Amino acid sequence: MQKDNLIYVAGHTGLIGSAMVKQLKVAGYNNLLLVRHSELELTDAIATANFFAKHRPQYVVLAAGKVGGIIENKTYPADFMNANLAIQLNVLKSAHNTDVKKLIFFASSCMYPRECPQPMKEEVLFSGYPEPTSMAYAVSKMAGLQMCLAYNQQYGKTRFIPVIPNSAFGANDNFDPQGGHVLSALIRRFDDAKKSGAKEVVLWGSGTPRREFIYSEDIADACIALLIGNTENLALPLNLGTGDDFSIRELAEKIAKIVGYTGAIGNDASKPDGAPRKLLDSTRIHNFGWKPKVDFDAGLKSTYEWYLKNIANAEK
């Protein structure tokens, strides 16, 4: 990938997409094709095909999609499947038809079986049922991953690179307590509790499930390494993780400390836990030469500072 190559980052205002834009610019790649959702509806096959035919990007990072927490996944499973399947089908087909040199596709750790040996190796995908609360989203991502591999197999060239980041966090995350993922939602809830003087913050479920979190800029750096490097004989897909995980209770305590919340932390055992553990085996990408750089606590502090500057203060 050359410095002047045209790189299309789909979903550039979101969590991973915005990190990709930032890190690409840091690395000296400034010829970026950035289009907002209001300007291009990727679920529209004709609009997507016309966009690719007009601009002909040489590299693509597909960070666009419909994502959400447990509540949204349980409430709107058809919406999640419809949106993600359509975006994946349209973008991958258009990228193929316009001879894109390389494309990064973001799959999800939700695809792994709910009951799975830890840490989870890429080889165990499709060996069991995903967590029911995120089944629709997981199946749509499994389809996208397999579509990438199918294109590579049928046309004899490794152009579509599916990666599986674990729970991402950082700037431009969704901090909605109902629609966001657990880390960002808890930042919002603990900050609100601190400001309101609430005596207790109640966590969903038992607090015992364990999750691995990876900073969005680390994900972006891994993807840039894959865009630049020789991936022709690389085993796919690729897990992107840190190798460390925390219980939801431990996560809540870390967030409470950073926020400065001193009240109690309770649990609502009537709510679902989700998968008991999701820790990725990232040996493949580590052997390729990438490892995460951002310490979790430092990333968490930076994320909270971004939230205060861009969300909390803006709502006053």
Side-chain angles (χ1 to χ4, degrees):
M1 187 168 70
Q2 304 301 312
K3 299 292 184 180
D4 60 348
N5 287 150
L6 182 60
I7 306 167
Y8 171 41
V9 181
H12 72 281
T13 62
L15 171 61
I16 295 178
S18 63
M20 283 297 313
V21 171
K22 179 180 179 181
Q23 296 306 99
L24 281 166
K25 289 181 177 179
V26 168
Y29 296 91
N30 294 300
N31 191 14
L32 305 180
L33 179 58
L34 308 175
V35 183
R36 291 185 174 274
H37 182 201
S38 59
E39 300 172 280
L40 174 62
E41 178 54 73
L42 291 173
T43 61
D44 184 329
I46 295 176
T48 303
N50 290 339
F51 173 81
F52 272 79
K54 176 182 179 180
H55 296 283
R56 305 192 74 85
Q58 293 158 292
Y59 293 85
V60 175
V61 178
L62 180 49
K66 185 172 179 59
V67 298
I70 288 179
I71 295 175
E72 285 196 328
N73 271 277
K74 287 183 65 178
T75 307
Y76 308 108
D79 290 352
F80 274 83
M81 286 203 74
N82 273 317
N84 287 303
L85 287 172
I87 290 170
Q88 292 160 190
L89 177 65
N90 296 339
V91 172
L92 293 179
K93 184 176 182 180
S94 295
H96 168 73
N97 288 340
T98 55
D99 296 319
V100 164
K101 294 179 182 295
K102 200 177 286 188
L103 177 148
I104 300 290
F105 171 77
F106 291 101
S108 170
S109 61
C110 295
M111 302 183 307
Y112 281 98
R114 186 183 190 279
E115 307 296 335
C116 191
Q118 303 288 324
M120 301 181 292
K121 295 179 179 289
E122 293 93 343
E123 291 87 351
V124 303
L125 284 167
F126 300 94
S127 67
Y129 287 100
E131 160 62 33
T133 55
S134 57
M135 180 68 78
Y137 178 74
V139 170
S140 69
K141 286 296 179 178
M142 292 165 81
L145 182 154
Q146 196 59 39
M147 189 179 296
C148 288
L149 300 182
Y151 271 112
N152 293 344
Q153 177 184 343
Q154 183 167 333
Y155 296 98
K157 191 172 182 180
T158 306
R159 291 194 296 150
F160 294 170
I161 314 279
V163 297
I164 309 171
N166 223 333
S167 300
F169 71 102
N172 291 296
D173 205 346
N174 176 10
F175 293 88
D176 182 351
Q178 300 299 316
H181 288 112
V182 60
L183 186 150
S184 54
L186 285 179
I187 285 178
R188 174 65 174 265
R189 293 184 62 203
F190 276 104
D191 186 66
D192 287 349
K194 173 189 174 183
K195 292 172 180 175
S196 68
K199 295 181 179 180
E200 183 182 38
V201 172
V202 179
L203 308 178
W204 268 41
S206 65
T208 60
R210 301 186 68 83
R211 295 291 182 265
E212 177 184 35
F213 300 93
I214 179 167
Y215 196 55
S216 57
E217 292 179 13
D218 274 334
I219 296 173
D221 287 341
C223 294
I224 293 171
L226 291 166
L227 290 171
I228 295 171
N230 181 2
T231 55
E232 191 58 37
N233 297 313
L234 191 60
L236 299 174
L238 296 161
N239 285 336
L240 299 182
T242 63
D244 298 314
D245 62 356
F246 308 94
S247 72
I248 299 302
R249 179 78 186 193
E250 291 170 334
L251 173 66
E253 290 170 351
K254 283 178 175 290
I255 292 174
K257 182 177 180 180
I258 286 176
V259 169
Y261 174 76
T262 57
I265 302 176
N267 293 93
D268 182 354
S270 69
K271 298 293 194 299
D273 270 340
R277 193 181 189 191
K278 292 200 299 183
L279 179 65
L280 297 178
D281 183 327
S282 299
T283 301
R284 283 185 183 179
I285 188 69
H286 291 171
N287 288 342
F288 182 73
W290 170 87
K291 289 187 178 179
K293 298 176 182 177
V294 180
D295 172 76
F296 176 75
D297 289 340
L300 188 61
K301 181 179 179 182
S302 176
T303 302
Y304 179 53
E305 290 172 350
W306 186 93
Y307 167 78
L308 288 177
K309 181 178 180 180
N310 293 274
I311 306 295
N313 290 341
E315 293 179 348
K316 288 182 179 179

